[in-house]
């Protein structure tokens, strides 16, 4: 399992491997990273996260479960199973946050199974509602935590496999039990410092 975490983390860290001190405000008030707008940086980071998650879901979880090799389970540690795709993304996000470089990402939903996975701010709640209405466009903006300003982007998180749908439709704590493949189930929230 450590190998998968390392692969996910390595992809994100390589992509994000620029110096955060190089972020500066331009004359027109927008921010850039050595000429790259934060929206583009967020898109790059999301592309890696979404690709890794899709590949983990389809090439590992779905394949291993279909062959009966191993199952994915919420209680993966105690059952000697694979983490569910959502758990893998949350684990990877925690590992990146622990690096202390300012990059954070996580899953959140307006209808989470666990409250800790709900929106943490009004900005996140509005962004999750926006990507549910228009999944093809991220909801973006600037937030402040303490004295640090961050760029935050929220991308639609879709049910890409039966494992996602089955977990949400059968979980005892799930507030919504009629999910289908392709449904927007919440969002992937990415934030990083801009000043």
């Amino acid at each position: 399992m450590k190998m998968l975490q390392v692969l996910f983390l390595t992809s994100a860290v390589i992509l994000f491997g620029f110096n955060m001190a190089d972020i500066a405000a331009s004359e027109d008030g927008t921010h850039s990273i050595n000429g790259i707008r934060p929206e583009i940086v967020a898109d790059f980071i999301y592309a890696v996260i979404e690709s890794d998650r899709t590949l983990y879901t389809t090439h590992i979880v779905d394949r291993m479960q279909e062959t009966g090799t191993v199952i994915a389970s919420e209680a993966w540690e105690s059952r000697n199973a694979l983490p569910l795709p959502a758990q893998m993304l949350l684990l990877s996000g925690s590992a990146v946050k622990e690096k202390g470089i300012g990059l954070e990402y996580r899953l959140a939903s307006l209808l989470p199974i666990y409250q800790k996975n709900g929106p943490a701010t009004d900005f996140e709640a509005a962004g999750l509602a926006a990507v549910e209405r228009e999944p093809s466009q991220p909801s973006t903006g600037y937030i402040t935590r303490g004295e640090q300003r961050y760029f935050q982007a929220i991308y639609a998180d879709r049910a890409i496999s039966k494992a996602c749908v089955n977990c949400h439709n059968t979980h005892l704590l799930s507030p919504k039990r009629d999910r289908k493949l392709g449904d927007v189930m919440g969002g992937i929230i990415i934030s990083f410092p801009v000043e």
Side-chain angles (χ1 to χ4, degrees), residues 54-72:
T54 298
L55 291 172
Y56 174 73
T57 302
T58 58
H59 292 292
I60 297 172
V61 173
D62 286 351
R63 197 167 128 242
M64 294 294 102
Q65 289 192 141
E66 285 170 8
T67 63
T69 305
V70 68
I71 62 164

Side-chain angles (χ1 to χ4, degrees), residues 40-97:
I40 302 299
V41 174
D43 285 347
F44 289 164
I45 295 166
Y46 172 72
V48 172
I49 294 168
E50 194 269 336
S51 296
D52 283 347
R53 183 160 185 232
T54 298
L55 291 172
Y56 174 73
T57 302
T58 58
H59 292 292
I60 297 172
V61 173
D62 286 351
R63 197 167 128 242
M64 294 294 102
Q65 289 192 141
E66 285 170 8
T67 63
T69 305
V70 68
I71 62 164
S73 169
E74 184 175 28
W76 63 276
E77 291 172 296
S78 64
R79 295 187 67 192
N80 197 28
L82 295 172
L84 294 168
Q87 290 173 307
M88 182 58 92
L89 191 145
L90 291 168
L91 288 166
S92 176
S94 292
V96 168
K97 184 177 181 178

Side-chain angles (χ1 to χ4, degrees), residues 97-168:
K97 184 177 181 178
E98 288 174 10
K99 297 285 181 192
I101 61 174
L103 172 62
E104 295 182 24
Y105 60 87
R106 69 184 187 90
L107 283 173
S109 175
L110 293 173
L111 297 170
I113 290 176
Y114 296 104
Q115 288 307 93
K116 67 181 181 178
N117 296 328
T121 65
D122 290 341
F123 181 86
E124 288 184 4
L128 289 167
V131 298
E132 193 168 308
R133 285 189 307 275
E134 183 50 61
S136 65
Q137 293 297 314
S139 176
T140 64
Y142 294 90
I143 61 168
T144 302
R145 290 187 208 134
E147 295 185 20
Q148 180 66 57
R149 189 167 173 189
Y150 290 80
F151 181 78
Q152 191 167 70
I154 303 171
Y155 296 82
D157 181 48
R158 294 182 181 271
I160 60 170
S161 84
K162 293 176 193 171
C164 303
V165 172
N166 292 342
C167 178
H168 280 264

